[in-house]
Amino acid sequence: MKPIKIAVASGKGGTGKTMIATSLAACLSIDHAVQFLDCDVEGPNGHLFLKPNISGTYPSTLLIPEVDPELCDACGKCVEVCQYHALALLQKQILVFPQLCHGCGSCTLNCPPGAIHEIPREIGRISQGETASGILFYMGELITSEPMPTPIIHQLKALAGEPEEISILDSPPGASCAVVATIFNADYVLLVTEPTPFGLHDLRQMLGVLQKIGTPAGVILNRDGIGDKSVETFLSETTYPILMKIPFQSEIASGLAAGQIMSDILPEYQEKFINLYKTIKESVQPRLGEG
Ligand code: SF4
Ligand code: SF4
C-alpha cells in the first residue's frame, strides 16, 4: 500500500483541529504505522495530547548573507536582486535586515567580487520522538518574534521523510503560506470548522486555497448544534462532503483541558475515526493509482 498523507487544517484557530489530528493519529496507530507532524509551529500543542518521548531536538536555521567589507565595492547588485528588501546600501555599506531575509541565496550568487558568504541564523527548533503507542512524532517551534514559519515546516517535513504507511499533518490555522507549505503534497485535507458565520467565512477561504492546489478535501463539523446551518447549506452546493459531525459536549472540553485525547474521552469515536480513515483511503486510492 502506498503511504497516505492526511493534513488536518482549519480556516481559523480554536475549531478543534489538533483534537481531530491527535485522535485520528491515536486511533489509527492501533493497527497502522503512523507518523504525526505538528506543523503548527507558532503554537504547537499536539505533544500535550500524544505525550511523546522526545529523543532529539535540533536548531532550525536559515542561511542569511554576511558581507565582507574588505571585498565589497558597493556596486549595489545584491540590493537589486533581493526580492524581499532585506538589504540596503547606505553610505557605501551593505546593511542586512535578518528578519526580512528568506534565505534564497540570490545575493550571494549575484555578488560580482564574491564578498558575501552565508551564515546560519536560528529561527526555531524541531524535535522528534515516539509515543507509547508507536506514533513517530515530529514538532516544529518558531521562536517568538520570528516572522517566517515556512522554513521550519519544510525542515520538519524533510526530517520526517516519507511515512511508512500514514502521515498526519497538523496544519497551522488560517490560509497563509504556512498552511500551503503544510498541505502541499498531502493526499487529502480534513477541514475542521464550526457551524457559525465565522466558521463559514474561514472555510470558504480554505476551500479557495484547496481548489487552486487541487487536493481533495472533506469537512468535519465540530461543536455541531451551536450556531446555524449556514456551513451545511453552503457545503450542500459543493462537492466537499461533511465526513463527521461532533456535537458540542462539555465533557469533551473538560477532557481536552486535562490533556486527554478526544477518542479516549469518548471511546465510541474510535470506530468513527477508523471509518473516517477508510472513507479517506477510498477517496484517494484512484489519485494514488491503486485499485
Ligand atoms: S538571501 Fe535572498 S532574501 Fe536574503 S538578503 Fe539575500 S537575496 Fe535577500
Ligand atoms: S553585490 Fe557584493 S560587492 Fe556589490 S554591494 Fe553587494 S556585497 Fe557589495
Side-chain angles (χ1 to χ4, degrees), residues 187-191 207 210 214-219 239-243 283:
D187 300 302
Y188 197 90
V189 178
L190 267 178
L191 289 169
L207 289 177
L210 286 174
T215 313
V219 176
T239 55
Y240 295 101
I242 296 178
L243 299 171
S283 155

Side-chain angles (χ1 to χ4, degrees), residues 194-195 221-226 228-229 232 245-248:
E194 57 185 25
L221 206 52
N222 189 25
R223 300 192 191 99
D224 187 34
I226 66 164
D228 56 27
K229 294 281 176 195
E232 288 182 72
K245 290 182 183 177
I246 301 170
F248 177 76

Side-chain angles (χ1 to χ4, degrees), residues 240-256:
Y240 295 101
I242 296 178
L243 299 171
M244 189 190 283
K245 290 182 183 177
I246 301 170
F248 177 76
Q249 292 170 79
S250 57
E251 60 192 304
I252 296 180
S254 53
L256 291 175

